[in-house]
Amino acid sequence: KREIHNKMRGVSGRLEELGMGVPVDVAERVQLIWTMVTDYCEIFRNTIRGKYDRKLQNYFDAHDITGGAHIRTIFNDLLDEFVEKPVTSEMSDYDIDQAIRMHECATYAN
């Protein structure tokens, strides 16, 4: 009898943690899905911006790089070979002059 009561108490506690079941009404289900999509987008945006998000921290170890810092590291690695080289090193003076003229015309046309 004691074992049954302990098991019931444990299951009841777990059910309380899970909350109510899936909504039966169509409007409530749509609202639930909409809320979940909105939460996902919010977490994704915070990840990109590098903001701290308590919900998101459950999925990472303390030493992992997350969000914007991780994206910046990837881009730095990709562009590392171009950092030391001047942008116009492979262009002639004529090419540079043509690019300036072309963009001046585009600027005045707008």
Side-chain angles (χ1 to χ4, degrees):
K1 192 172 185 179
R2 178 182 285 170
E3 184 180 338
I4 293 173
H5 285 333
N6 287 341
K7 186 71 170 175
M8 283 176 52
R9 204 172 312 130
V11 169
S12 296
R14 182 71 178 127
L15 284 173
E16 284 181 31
E17 286 177 10
L18 293 174
M20 302 301 291
V22 177
V24 179
D25 185 33
V26 173
E28 290 176 349
R29 281 189 280 174
V30 169
Q31 182 61 40
L32 176 67
I33 295 295
W34 184 248
T35 302
M36 291 171 71
V37 167
T38 303
D39 287 347
Y40 175 81
C41 291
E42 185 74 21
I43 289 172
F44 191 77
R45 181 176 359 158
N46 287 342
T47 301
I48 297 296
R49 291 183 179 169
K51 289 186 177 180
Y52 176 79
D53 193 329
R54 195 167 34 105
K55 293 180 218 170
L56 188 62
Q57 296 308 311
N58 295 331
Y59 301 106
F60 293 104
D61 293 333
H63 64 278
D64 286 344
I65 297 176
T66 60
H70 187 66
I71 293 169
R72 184 177 180 136
T73 301
I74 291 170
F75 275 113
N76 283 344
D77 291 344
L78 288 173
L79 301 174
D80 193 35
E81 66 185 86
F82 300 107
V83 171
E84 300 297 324
K85 209 161 55 167
V87 176
T88 58
S89 65
E90 296 180 10
M91 296 176 72
S92 68
D93 288 343
Y94 178 78
D95 292 334
I96 294 170
D97 186 54
Q98 287 297 105
I100 291 171
R101 288 176 192 270
M102 181 175 63
H103 290 291
E104 282 178 348
C105 291
T107 302
Y108 293 129
N110 291 331

